[in-house]
Amino acid sequence: MSEILYMSSLYAPTLKEDPADAEIASHKLLMRAGMIRKVASGIYAFLPLGMRVLTKIENIVREEMNATGAQEILMPALQPSELWLESGRWDDYGPELMRLNDRHDHGFCLGPTHEELITALVRNELRSYRQLPTTLYQIQTKYRDEIRPRFGLLRSREFIMKDAYSFHANAESLQETYDQMSEAYGIICDRCGLDYRPVEADSGQIGGKVTTEFMALADAGEAELVYCPSCDYAANTEVAECITRPLEYPAEAMEKIATPGVTTIAALAEFLGCSEAATVKALVGKNSKGQVIAVFIPGDHELNELKISRVFEGFELLTDEELKDTGLPKGSIGPVGVPEGIIVAADRSLEDIKRWVVGANEDGFHYVGAAQDEDFKVDVWADLSTTKPGDICPVCGAKLDGARGIEVSQVFQLGDKYSKALGAVFSAEDGTDQPFLMGCYGVGVSRTMAAVVEQHNDENGIIWPASVAPAHVCIIPLTVGDDEVYPTALRLAQTLKENFPDLEIVIDDRDERPGVKFADADLIGWPAQIVVGKRGLKNGTVEVKRRSSGEKTEVKLDSISDGLAFLNRFKQSRTGRTPLVH
Ligand code: ATP
Ligand code: MG
């Protein structure tokens, strides 16, 4: 049972103005509502109200993890370099890893994630198949020296993550835990009031092949998603399979056309009076061996970096200088007559159109009607384009929609990457030693807090879902010095507290004008406000304002619980059966 909070003594310094460096709603509002403060770029302190929200999210995560049978531990943030050298990530992780030396000159890092540490932790003690599966988790501060820390808690350099790691004897067991964790992650999003989508994703630094990201839909999100309006398919455009139908430009034979000053796809399409989808875009890069690759994709699409680097290891685009050395003219590149030694790669969707509109490898000229196999040859066909809204759903064939998302969490099947590298084995049923199969599962706890605000705010401030609100109800006495209004407000707080122990109550006992109190209550975003004033009390009523809709109702003091019933609309627990008021 929590105590009543008094605004007069609450350390919640609200701000009238948006901080100059804040670009998005969650950053502005968490700062203005006195919930967080910036200490340095990408490094924040949580003030009491922010801490209350953070703790609620942590507890939701903790409950859901415990419900899956995972066990909570706490590993150190400070990790010895040896473990990272063993896994190979001391080098692979790059400058995002915060490195430091102790007084004896031993190398350490501040953990951005804990695969190495957990694997080393269990490697000599989790020994038998009989102990598997085992899942351990922690809620802890993580460090990543992000190249562009921004958007407040969304992309910070120090942040709170829940990370879980599971150990298995076989693939079925890993799949089972992965499915359980995915389900728990969906429930966590629901309970935090997030509108989210699980999407197919890339595993990035962590490794492994099977992975799902949980995306809170929001325009401020850095991820681009495509999703199908007619089936469950959804994917990060980093990995989404691209199925698109380029258009065929009407031409009977290859014809060279003077296109003076035309160096972009948009200009070319305009010049020819056709759609960009009827042109072919060229990009030139090299792989890690230095081989030059000319890549062709539909004119209305972008090259997907992840996909191309899977086909050509270490692929990077050539600089203008490097391009000059190849003899290919920027702005007029095509597959016809490509200099010897250059690999021609093309997006597989272009296989369907015989005649292409492409550069003529001569400044100021393009070809229309250049024919595959007759006028040029493609060496490598692959899915190389980034999927976009309007492309075709790879599952059901419908047209995809697009959205932006904030990645709040991700689940991975790691396989034996870390157990092999760090020699973590168990003795199997047949007596042989085998490396564990592992899964890992991360929730961005502090990022989730920001994502909730991105989805729940208006021009006046934050609108917390009751499940993660810093408190549920703010009682606002319009005056505090008198012997009626304030004492009634106080009595109301106490009665509510006695009757509904889980209800968290704040009373704005400050000697401030009503306008100041209303503005702060809206800004901080308590889900319910109860305004106590002289006029209402004459009829024994108070005014209940619902923050989310702004709806105000006169409620008799003795039936106040009816007026607050809307608080129960937000899921309070896994079963959703614990009403705050009844
Ligand atoms: P991103 O692609 O956004 O950089 P990530 O995929 O590298 O994130 P993971 O390694 O999957 O992140 O970490 C698990 C979770 O930790 C993420 O889903 C996200 O919610 C959170 N997280 C990661 N980086 C940050 C950060 N810089 N600031 C706040 N939260 C973060
Ligand atoms: Mg991730």
Side-chain angles (χ1 to χ4, degrees):
M1 176 162 144
S2 62
E3 293 312 307
I4 295 167
L5 300 174
Y6 293 86
M7 276 301 273
S8 63
S9 51
L10 197 64
Y11 186 62
T14 55
L15 306 174
K16 289 223 161 49
E17 304 290 328
D18 289 335
D21 66 339
E23 297 166 62
I24 59 168
S26 59
H27 189 189
K28 288 177 191 168
L29 292 173
L30 289 169
M31 292 283 295
R32 283 190 47 209
M35 301 208 176
I36 60 168
R37 283 295 177 263
K38 180 171 158 179
V39 173
S41 167
I43 304 180
Y44 290 85
F46 291 82
L47 303 189
L49 292 180
M51 194 59 204
R52 290 177 72 94
V53 175
L54 194 69
T55 305
K56 290 205 177 171
I57 298 173
E58 281 182 8
N59 285 338
I60 288 174
V61 172
R62 188 172 276 122
E63 273 177 43
E64 296 307 328
M65 284 300 102
N66 293 346
T68 68
Q71 303 168 57
E72 186 166 7
I73 60 172
L74 183 59
M75 290 182 271
L78 201 55
Q79 307 185 13
S81 59
E82 285 84 10
L83 294 176
W84 287 73
L85 287 164
E86 262 187 82
S87 74
R89 283 208 293 184
W90 187 255
D91 294 324
D92 291 353
Y93 216 94
E96 235 175 66
L97 192 63
M98 295 267 201
R99 299 158 209 253
L100 65 158
N101 285 346
D102 71 5
R103 65 171 76 203
H104 307 295
D105 226 21
H106 287 150
F108 287 85
C109 68
L110 290 171
T113 177
H114 278 66
E115 285 77 17
E116 284 79 0
L117 212 127
I118 190 100
T119 309
L121 192 66
V122 304
R123 71 177 148 191
N124 294 314
E125 297 189 291
L126 191 62
R127 285 291 295 138
S128 161
Y129 72 91
R130 286 196 194 85
Q131 298 167 282
L132 304 179
T134 289
T135 305
L136 303 172
Y137 78 95
Q138 62 174 348
I139 298 176
Q140 198 214 31
T141 307
K142 294 280 189 280
Y143 299 85
R144 294 184 185 181
D145 199 357
E146 298 276 357
I147 186 164
R148 261 189 302 280
R150 59 188 183 148
F151 299 156
L153 300 183
L154 274 191
R155 184 165 299 284
S156 45
R157 298 197 294 168
E158 177 176 307
F159 58 95
I160 313 286
M161 195 204 287
K162 184 287 300 179
D163 45 330
Y165 305 88
S166 63
F167 298 88
H168 307 270
N170 56 52
E172 295 74 55
S173 165
L174 170 56
Q175 184 68 44
E176 204 175 299
T177 298
Y178 179 86
D179 291 342
Q180 254 180 11
M181 282 287 172
S182 303
E183 189 194 353
Y185 274 31
I187 296 171
I188 290 167
C189 287
D190 277 338
R191 287 186 59 186
C192 291
L194 286 175
D195 179 15
Y196 75 97
R197 276 209 163 68
V199 306
E200 286 181 12
D202 174 49
S203 62
Q205 267 294 350
I206 310 264
K209 290 205 176 64
V210 179
T211 180
T212 305
E213 287 170 341
F214 291 77
M215 292 283 180
L217 303 183
D219 289 338
E222 292 174 289
E224 283 181 42
L225 319 176
V226 283
Y227 63 94
C228 180
S230 23
C231 74
D232 283 343
Y233 179 77
N236 193 315
T237 58
E238 280 180 349
V239 299
E241 182 183 350
C242 180
I243 305 180
T244 182
R245 305 253 178 275
L247 304 172
E248 187 137 15
Y249 183 83
E252 300 286 294
M254 184 163 84
E255 185 188 343
K256 193 170 180 180
I257 296 183
T259 49
V262 171
T263 57
T264 64
I265 287 292
L268 181 62
E270 200 188 330
F271 185 89
L272 295 172
C274 67
S275 148
E276 292 186 10
T279 68
V280 174
K281 186 184 281 185
L283 298 114
V284 186
K286 59 178 181 192
N287 64 12
S288 49
K289 291 187 216 134
Q291 278 175 307
V292 176
I293 304 135
V295 189
F296 298 93
I297 59 172
D300 62 337
H301 279 70
E302 300 298 332
L303 178 65
N304 184 297
E305 286 173 29
L306 214 59
K307 290 179 183 175
I308 186 95
S309 66
R310 288 201 178 130
V311 182
F312 299 102
E313 208 198 309
F315 182 93
E316 40 181 86
L317 291 174
L318 296 189
T319 61
D320 284 356
E321 281 306 301
E322 289 171 320
L323 187 61
K324 261 192 200 132
D325 295 340
T326 65
L328 294 169
K330 194 180 177 181
S332 277
I333 297 167
V336 182
V338 165
E340 191 86 8
I342 295 181
I343 302 169
V344 174
D347 187 81
R348 59 170 191 202
S349 65
L350 291 170
E351 227 174 336
D352 297 339
I353 53 167
K354 181 165 171 72
R355 296 186 176 278
W356 298 8
V357 171
V358 288
N361 292 333
E362 188 180 335
D363 256 335
F365 290 92
H366 281 81
Y367 288 124
V368 299
Q372 266 183 67
D373 298 328
E374 291 168 24
D375 301 313
F376 65 90
K377 279 222 152 35
V378 172
D379 303 314
V380 179
W381 293 102
D383 174 11
L384 299 175
S385 303
T386 297
T387 309
K388 61 178 202 175
D391 286 345
I392 293 155
C393 172
V395 175
C396 76
K399 260 195 183 165
L400 294 170
D401 279 336
R404 298 189 73 84
I406 298 167
E407 180 199 321
V408 287
S409 49
Q410 187 166 12
V411 292
F412 305 83
Q413 292 191 17
L414 296 170
D416 58 10
K417 174 173 168 171
Y418 295 92
S419 48
K420 260 198 173 144
L422 285 109
V425 296
F426 67 97
S427 86
E429 214 166 341
D430 64 5
T432 58
D433 274 355
Q434 289 176 16
F436 295 107
L437 292 184
M438 290 172 59
C440 78
Y441 318 90
V443 175
V445 175
S446 46
R447 184 183 281 184
T448 294
M449 176 167 162
V452 171
V453 179
E454 276 310 314
Q455 288 190 355
H456 300 275
N457 71 78
D458 63 14
E459 65 282 5
N460 297 324
I462 305 173
I463 306 169
W464 290 110
S467 56
V468 295
H472 305 114
V473 182
C474 180
I475 299 177
I476 304 176
L478 292 180
T479 46
V480 292
D482 69 319
D483 54 9
E484 192 196 358
V485 172
Y486 185 65
T488 306
L490 204 54
R491 252 196 327 275
L492 175 62
Q494 270 144 5
T495 313
L496 281 174
K497 189 83 258 174
E498 277 154 28
N499 290 329
F500 310 115
D502 291 331
L503 195 67
E504 295 167 15
I505 300 160
V506 190
I507 179 159
D508 196 343
D509 57 337
R510 296 175 300 169
D511 189 10
E512 288 282 3
R513 283 181 296 112
V516 172
K517 295 187 181 184
F518 294 151
D520 277 349
D522 277 359
L523 176 61
I524 291 168
W526 321 106
Q529 301 168 18
I530 303 176
V531 181
V532 185
K534 242 194 185 101
R535 204 177 317 145
L537 287 184
K538 280 202 184 105
N539 319 314
T541 64
V542 290
E543 185 185 82
V544 175
K545 174 172 160 183
R546 185 170 173 175
R547 177 68 181 91
S548 59
S549 61
E551 188 189 329
K552 295 174 182 171
T553 31
E554 291 293 317
V555 179
K556 287 266 180 220
L557 267 174
D558 50 16
S559 55
I560 190 78
S561 60
D562 297 341
L564 294 177
F566 64 83
L567 289 173
N568 297 329
R569 285 167 54 91
F570 291 95
K571 283 198 182 128
Q572 298 298 317
S573 74
R574 194 177 176 88
T575 55
R577 269 189 265 116
T578 328
L580 285 170
V581 290
H582 41 81

